[in-house]
Amino acid sequence: MATIAVVGTGYVGLAAGACLAELGHRVSCSDVDGDKVRLLRAGKVDIIEPGLGELVRSGLANGRLRFLTTPTVTDADFVFLCVPTPMAADGGADLSAVTSVMRQIGDQLPPGCVVVNKSTVPVGTATMLSESLNGRVPVVSNPEFLREGSAVHDFLHPDRIVVGSDDLTAARRVAELYAALPAPVLVTSTASAELIKYAANSFLAVKLSYANAIAELCERLGADVADVVKGVGQDHRIGESFLRAGPGWGGSCLPKDTSALLRTASAAGQHFSLLEAAIATNVRQHSRVVAKIRGALGGELRGARICLLGLAFKAGTNDMRDSPALAVAATLAAEGAELTGYDPVVTADVPGLRVVDDPYEAVKDAGVIVLLTEWPEFRGLEWTAIRALAAGDVVVDARNHLDPTVVTAAGMRWWGIGCSRGVDTRDT
């Protein structure tokens, strides 16, 4: 059983801390947000993450998990850095939180301690941190591969565990923390470990953009993207995951990580045109959804009343960071549309958008209804009632989530992504 200090209680830090405590380690999680710490001490988790609240409360009850406002590292065997690395103005990763934490705790690290970087950082960060510590304690790169909405499952049932260090003893010690998990462990250099995270996320972004490019081609040729990607994904060399057409990818990872990898490649003298194209395709997808909405309204958005179903970047989370729904909403609002939105877990105000707490309130007098997040509850809506409430009869399903036969049986028109229904190529 190890003593672990986790710095940061966002999605990664809180999931890592709670799961490491579940594995039997003594874990302290710290965060600068005092209000969040008070909630966590009471066993209250304010992010939507299945199983996480239960693990936090279990860890508090058995004494293996505690929450602090200041990192306590003087007795730590391992210090996990789980702080944000958002996109900087130049497109690279903003490492200010990482460097700030290291300035705060660097002199307090005890001999034999290992610094474990779980934050997503550019190649060379571990080396930089080690140099800032004058090599006094080893720095290990241990990237996370957690999906929002399934972070607990992903941590406890990983596809692989990546540990990067130039100190083999330190790498083995970190790997031992996960000994109870049935997953292969890849021990490599810090540079390779740091690049693995960016390479993995960027590949997923490329795959999603490819699916959306194929969806556009399906519309132009009269094919159905659902059948096309099913036929492609059943090839075991490709796989079905991340091949679903939609309004574009977003969230806390893919946008910033693709941008950071582009920046890294450019600094190394490489023109990463494939990744550039994937990002451009993603931006274009937002415009294609707006074009469908414009087409449903006869070409004019100004003054149109539009209902948006779903605001989170994907179902299963309340995270709206870089949500494609908000990108679409921003364009619609800029062109003068009047927007009303509903999301099962999002209640915060959104600029240019009135958020209500009932889907039937959201659809009242709407000239078009747009589904932007694939929440299961939307499939159970009473579409006959919606038809009576809405002013228009078109549902733009940007996730191909609804059953078209149910929608059309209610007297509405279903326009999906990547199929011949609802095609409008005037602005694409």
Side-chain angles (χ1 to χ4, degrees):
M1 179 171 63
T3 299
I4 301 171
V6 176
V7 184
T9 61
Y11 277 95
V12 174
L14 188 55
C19 289
L20 287 167
E22 178 69 10
L23 293 178
H25 304 297
R26 295 183 299 266
V27 183
S28 65
C29 295
S30 61
D31 199 285
V32 295
D33 187 335
D35 291 337
K36 178 187 281 190
V37 170
R38 281 189 288 274
L39 285 173
L40 290 171
R41 284 173 175 169
K44 299 178 180 177
V45 176
D46 62 357
I47 56 178
I48 306 298
E49 197 61 58
L52 185 54
E54 291 84 348
L55 281 190
V56 167
R57 289 185 285 274
S58 173
L60 289 169
N62 61 37
R64 289 200 296 265
L65 183 62
R66 59 183 180 142
F67 295 97
L68 312 167
T69 54
T70 303
T72 300
V73 301
T74 53
D75 63 344
D77 300 313
F78 302 89
V79 176
F80 277 67
L81 303 181
C82 302
V83 295
T85 53
M87 190 187 305
D90 64 359
D94 181 352
L95 298 180
S96 58
V98 175
T99 55
S100 175
V101 167
M102 291 306 294
R103 284 194 300 269
Q104 180 182 3
I105 68 173
D107 293 337
Q108 305 172 36
L109 297 171
C113 177
V114 177
V115 173
V116 182
N117 191 23
K118 267 206 170 302
S119 299
T120 303
V121 295
V123 173
T125 301
T127 299
M128 179 267 290
L129 294 179
S130 180
E131 290 173 350
S132 73
L133 295 169
N134 296 316
R136 194 163 52 83
V137 300
V139 177
V140 172
S141 177
N142 177 218
E144 51 83 18
F145 302 96
L146 309 181
R147 299 166 296 168
E148 290 185 32
S150 58
V152 170
H153 178 274
D154 292 347
F155 192 101
L156 297 176
H157 303 87
D159 293 325
R160 76 291 203 195
I161 295 165
V162 176
V163 181
S165 179
D166 299 323
D167 183 326
L168 188 56
T169 299
R172 286 173 175 163
R173 287 180 60 198
V174 172
E176 279 296 315
L177 296 174
Y178 303 99
L181 303 181
V185 177
L186 172 61
V187 176
T188 184
S189 67
T190 54
S192 294
E194 289 163 340
L195 187 55
I196 284 169
K197 176 59 187 290
Y198 281 116
N201 274 358
S202 294
F203 180 80
L204 296 177
V206 169
K207 198 173 180 183
L208 285 166
S209 285
Y210 181 78
N212 280 330
I214 291 296
E216 180 177 354
L217 188 59
C218 286
E219 292 182 5
R220 295 178 180 275
L221 299 178
D224 189 325
V225 71
D227 291 337
V228 172
V229 297
K230 182 177 182 180
V232 171
Q234 286 179 337
D235 186 325
H236 72 276
R237 298 169 301 175
I238 298 172
E240 296 182 357
S241 64
F242 284 79
L243 268 185
R244 290 195 64 180
W249 39 266
S252 62
C253 294
L254 297 191
K256 74 177 182 67
D257 290 353
T258 51
S259 179
L261 186 56
L262 270 185
R263 177 75 176 173
T264 297
S266 177
Q270 178 185 357
H271 181 203
F272 204 153
S273 56
L274 176 62
L275 190 54
E276 284 182 347
I279 295 171
T281 298
N282 194 53
V283 174
R284 174 178 169 79
Q285 194 66 6
H286 303 156
S287 300
R288 293 191 64 243
V289 173
V290 171
K292 285 181 178 289
I293 299 167
R294 188 184 292 112
L297 292 165
E300 181 58 55
L301 289 173
R302 184 163 302 279
R305 303 191 68 174
I306 300 173
C307 165
L308 305 182
L309 295 179
L311 301 173
F313 88 92
K314 70 172 185 177
T317 178
N318 56 351
D319 195 346
M320 295 193 295
R321 285 176 288 180
D322 280 301
S323 171
L326 298 190
V328 170
T331 300
L332 296 174
E335 294 195 28
E338 298 177 13
L339 307 177
T340 302
Y342 167 78
D343 188 287
V345 299
V346 174
T347 58
D349 292 332
V350 177
L353 170 64
R354 182 172 70 98
V355 179
V356 298
D357 60 4
D358 182 89
Y360 298 98
E361 174 66 22
V363 303
K364 283 182 180 178
D365 301 320
V368 63
I369 298 166
V370 188
L371 188 148
L372 291 164
T373 310
E374 69 284 19
W375 286 103
E377 77 169 60
F378 292 154
R379 292 181 65 90
L381 293 176
E382 295 292 336
W383 288 97
T384 301
I386 288 173
R387 179 66 188 95
L389 292 167
D393 66 348
V394 174
V395 178
V396 176
D397 185 354
R399 296 281 185 171
N400 291 347
H401 179 61
L402 303 172
D403 184 338
T405 60
V406 173
V407 175
T408 55
M412 305 196 76
R413 291 181 287 164
W414 179 87
W415 289 13
I417 299 290
C419 59
S420 57
R421 279 175 283 192
V423 175
D424 188 333
T425 61
R426 287 175 293 178
D427 295 316
T428 60

